[in-house]
């Protein structure tokens, strides 16, 4: 009888240890994926073309410049975005001070009314300039805000990937469950599926093209699809440059109205 109890205890410890190790592995993969995707280099600049495609196939374009500065690897970051086209959003600018604790701060400058407006934390899941990406998608959701579980390994588009399920630790409007397909080689997210509380797929992300820029693997073409609405948004990055030596003062309200012309055309 004693031998049986010992065997059961050992089996239970083995299961619990295995589950804990798996969770740690999944968290480590998501951390490294987040760093590879959102923290490439110490800073970065890119020219961006965004196409908003509605369910009838009608296309609207957006063109803007994007600057990023990492304050701490895996920690605080700053983003600056300046729109050039079309005319209805020309000179509009957007800034994010991303915080590792999830309390990001966001501002938008609306030139039509010459107003700098803070964006409420509750609006982080709202559409980013009418696209299928949200404000939070621009700077990313920190990996520590979710519980992660490795649920499989498979091939996607000919590449071996980790399949990881993420569930928010606290009530969250953005999704109830997310499934990420992480490239084993470069650790970039190649596909993400977002599900609501009913288990329905509501949004779908896909990395359409990955290039090596200055020795860094970079997703240069990506798509977000709103499954319910039938719309999708593609974002193409060009003229990418890393490690420019950007300074902290660029990411202030002053430059929302007057873009830093040495970096923004």
């Amino acid at each position: 009888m004693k031998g049986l109890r010992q065997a059961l205890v050992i089996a239970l410890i083995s299961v619990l240890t295995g589950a804990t190790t798996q969770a740690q592995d999944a968290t480590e993969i998501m951390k490294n994926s987040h760093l590879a995707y959102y923290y490439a280099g110490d800073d970065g600049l890119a020219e961006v073309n965004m196409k908003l495609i509605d369910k009838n196939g009608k296309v609207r374009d957006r063109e803007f410049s994007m600057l990023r500065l990492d304050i701490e690897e895996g920690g605080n970051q700053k983003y600056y975005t300046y729109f050039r086209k079309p005319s209805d959003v020309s000179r509009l600018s957007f800034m994010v001070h991303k915080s590792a604790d999830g309390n990001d701060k966001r501002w938008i400058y609306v030139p039509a009314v010459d107003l700098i407006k803070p964006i409420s934390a509750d609006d982080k899941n709202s559409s980013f300039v009418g696209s299928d990406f949200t404000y939070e998608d621009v700077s990313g959701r920190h990996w520590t805000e979710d519980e992660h579980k490795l649920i499989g390994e498979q091939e996607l588009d000919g590449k071996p990937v980790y399949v990881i399920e993420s569930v928010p630790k606290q009530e969250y409007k953005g999704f109830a469950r997310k499934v990420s397909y992480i490239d084993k080689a470069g650790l970039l997210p190649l596909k993400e599926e977002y599900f609501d509380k009913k288990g329905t797929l509501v949004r779908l992300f896909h990395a359409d093209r990955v290039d090596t820029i200055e020795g860094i693997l970079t997703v240069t073409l990506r798509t977000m699809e709103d499954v319910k609405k039938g719309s999708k948004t593609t974002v193409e990055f060009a003229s990418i440059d890393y490690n420019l030596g950007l300074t902290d003062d660029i990411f202030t309200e002053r430059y929302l109205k007057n873009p830093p012309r040495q970096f923004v055309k």
Side-chain angles (χ1 to χ4, degrees):
M1 190 66 180
K2 183 178 178 182
L4 179 58
R5 280 202 301 270
Q6 286 178 333
L8 288 172
V9 169
I10 290 171
L12 179 58
I13 290 173
S14 240
V15 167
L16 291 175
T17 303
T20 302
T21 302
Q22 189 182 56
Q24 288 173 339
D25 288 347
T27 299
E28 192 66 16
I29 291 168
M30 292 305 287
K31 173 186 175 182
N32 289 326
S33 178
H34 191 87
L35 295 180
Y37 190 54
Y38 290 104
Y39 289 82
D42 294 330
D43 59 38
L45 162 67
E47 299 301 321
V48 184
N49 179 266
M50 175 183 278
K51 292 187 183 299
L52 287 63
I53 306 166
D54 70 16
K55 63 180 181 181
N56 298 315
K58 183 180 178 182
V59 180
R60 291 179 294 153
D61 284 297
R62 303 266 190 268
E63 289 185 11
F64 55 91
S65 301
M66 178 176 282
L67 299 170
R68 170 183 53 83
L69 173 64
D70 298 347
I71 306 301
E72 178 187 5
E73 181 74 351
N76 294 356
Q77 284 183 310
K78 296 184 177 180
Y79 285 82
Y80 176 91
T81 302
Y82 180 80
F83 285 81
R84 291 189 304 280
K85 294 182 180 178
S87 57
D88 61 334
V89 295
S90 176
R91 295 177 51 234
L92 183 147
S93 55
F94 172 66
M95 183 169 66
V96 182
H97 288 184
K98 179 179 175 180
S99 176
D101 63 9
N103 295 313
D104 301 348
K105 295 180 179 177
R106 297 175 175 82
W107 298 264
I108 191 167
Y109 170 62
V110 184
V113 291
D114 192 25
L115 177 69
I116 294 175
K117 177 186 174 186
I119 296 174
S120 165
D122 293 337
D123 290 334
K124 64 183 179 182
N125 296 122
S126 300
S127 165
F128 177 64
V129 292
S131 75
D132 296 296
F133 289 90
T134 65
Y135 284 106
E136 189 174 64
D137 289 332
V138 175
S139 53
R141 177 175 168 81
H142 205 269
W143 73 89
T144 55
E145 295 183 78
D146 303 323
E147 298 283 358
H148 308 287
K149 180 181 178 183
L150 179 64
I151 59 174
E153 298 179 36
Q154 63 182 62
E155 282 204 356
L156 178 67
D157 300 330
K159 296 180 178 178
V161 295
Y162 298 110
V163 184
I164 295 181
E165 179 187 71
S166 303
V167 176
K169 292 177 180 176
Q170 298 181 354
E171 186 76 14
Y172 179 58
K173 290 169 59 177
F175 61 86
R177 186 171 73 95
K178 180 177 76 170
V179 177
S180 302
Y181 299 76
I182 308 297
D183 180 19
K184 287 187 177 182
L187 290 172
L188 290 171
L190 300 183
K191 180 180 173 184
E192 293 173 339
E193 299 166 330
Y194 295 81
F195 297 87
D196 64 14
K197 290 180 180 178
K198 296 179 181 178
T200 302
L201 177 66
V202 290
R203 291 201 307 154
L204 181 62
F205 166 88
H206 196 270
D208 303 297
R209 188 177 67 219
V210 177
D211 294 313
T212 301
I213 309 292
E214 299 174 8
I216 298 172
L217 282 175
T218 305
V219 178
T220 54
L221 180 62
R222 63 193 68 173
T223 300
M224 183 68 82
E225 181 181 351
D226 187 316
V227 178
K228 282 187 175 179
K229 289 167 56 180
S231 59
K232 65 180 181 180
T233 299
T234 65
V235 178
E236 185 169 19
F237 292 77
S239 303
I240 299 171
D241 205 357
Y242 292 118
N243 300 318
L244 297 158
L246 298 180
T247 53
D248 197 56
D249 66 305
I250 291 173
F251 301 85
T252 58
E253 290 192 20
R254 168 191 170 193
Y255 283 106
L256 282 174
K257 288 189 176 183
N258 300 292
R261 290 299 180 188
Q262 66 271 41
F263 300 111
V264 176
K265 297 176 183 176

